Every structure is written in C-alpha cells, then in structure tokens.
Amino acid sequence: MSEQESIRSFWNWFTENNHKYLFLHDVSEEAKEKLLSELLLRLHEFCDELYFEIGSDIDDQQPELVITADGNIENFGKVEILVDAAPVLKDWKFIKFRQPHDTGFITEFEGSKFNPDKTIYIPLENKHEPELLGIYVCYPEYTDEERNKYLSATYIMLDTLLGEKPAAEKRAPRKPAVKKAVKEKPAKEKAPELAPEAPPAEESLPPPVEA
C-alpha cells in the first residue's frame, strides 16, 4: 500500500468510526482500551512511529484528535502530511503535534501522576555551550528502578508545557536529568554545570494514551 493509500485508508476508517470516540469517558475502561488500541493499530498502518491523544478544547469542549511524533523530529513530516489530509468532521478538531499548555494539568503515565506545579526544576549551566540550558527535574518519590518511567513522563510533561515541536527543535541531544528530591539547605554556590561529554539520549518514549 502506498503512503497516500494508507493515509486515505486511515481517514476513511476514522470517518466511519469517529462517533465511537466522542464519549470515551462514558464507557468502561475495558471498552475504552479496546477502542484506543484499535485507533493506534490503524494509525500504525500509516506510520508505526506516530501516536495520538484525544482530548477536548477547554473553551468549546470540542473533541480533538492530536497526532504526535513523540518529539521525534524525523517523523514531523509524517504528522504534517497526515493531518493536512484530514477530512472535515463537524464534531472534531485535528491537531498537529502536542500544543503548549499552561500549568494546571496532570500527566498520567504508567500508573503514576506527574504534576508540573509540584515538580522541582534546577537549572544546569554549561560554560562551554552557554546558549544551552539544562535542567535537573526532581521528584520526591523517584527511584532508580523507575528511571525510564520518570524520564519518559518528564519528556511528555515538558512537551505539554512547551509544545511538542518547539520542545523538540530547542532540545539539545542529551538526556534530561531526573533525580530524587530531598530536603536540604539552599545551596549558596552557583548552579551545577552540565558536563559537555554527556551522552546523547537513547531512550524512546512509549506510546501516549488518551489525553
């Protein structure tokens, strides 16, 4: 199947089944997971590195289908051409990439809740690359055993705050540092430096679920 054929196939399927996704909060968890899995399967027939979020506009409550590349710049073009080909459906808005939001949201990921208002951020400076800014992201309940979960949730939370596309385009090819937050006296010295030899990010984000 060609790329254009797979795009048409996805939107034809969604047009026929979109009504099933208008009231996800009114169905059982089992039924909701089945519907979301079916949508992801259909999306992956076009590109298996794209994902989606379903939510609603705060002002008019119109349902939104957000197509996301999970911050992977290499797949931004796939998001663009898919959403550009979206049909006009009166009940839906189709959005390219996660859009920036103010704080006040909570990210649910792998059974945990991440609240940006209750997260501690420590800036990291690099004298070799002063134009870059790194951060420690600190969580009181963080454990090394769950590092990958906290790292992935941090990416999602930052994408939600900054917007997926701006966050990816401005992100240096390094891992954000996540660590346990502990109570201690405020440090008097300057902010810690980000080591220039820090390795590039290797972890990839798991697929998102309903927004």
Side-chain angles (χ1 to χ4, degrees), residues 96-167:
K96 302 173 185 176
F97 312 109
R98 296 189 188 103
Q99 299 300 300
H101 292 79
D102 292 331
T103 58
F105 66 88
I106 293 177
T107 296
E108 295 190 26
F109 186 79
E110 292 188 0
S112 298
K113 295 182 178 181
F114 298 84
N115 186 339
D117 289 325
K118 296 183 179 180
T119 302
I120 300 170
Y121 307 91
I122 301 175
L124 299 172
E125 299 174 355
N126 187 339
K127 63 183 179 182
H128 300 287
E129 297 175 283
E131 73 280 4
L132 298 181
L133 175 67
I135 53 172
Y136 271 130
V137 183
C138 306
Y139 303 94
E141 64 280 7
Y142 170 81
T143 63
D144 287 338
E145 291 75 15
E146 294 186 303
R147 182 180 185 279
N148 286 340
K149 179 176 80 170
Y150 278 85
L151 183 63
S152 297
T154 298
Y155 272 126
I156 294 174
M157 190 168 62
L158 291 176
D159 281 355
T160 305
L161 285 168
L162 303 174
E164 177 181 356
K165 199 170 183 180

Side-chain angles (χ1 to χ4, degrees), residues 18-54:
N18 78 90
H19 60 282
K20 299 177 183 179
Y21 295 87
L22 291 173
F23 306 102
L24 287 175
H25 293 296
D26 297 332
V27 301
S28 67
E29 284 298 315
E30 182 179 358
K32 180 165 67 174
E33 287 301 318
K34 184 176 180 180
L35 286 168
L36 295 175
S37 295
E38 174 69 8
L39 178 51
L40 185 62
L41 178 64
R42 297 285 182 169
L43 179 60
H44 280 180
E45 289 178 355
F46 166 63
C47 177
D48 62 6
E49 294 185 338
L50 298 188
Y51 302 97
F52 70 88
E53 295 177 357
I54 292 178

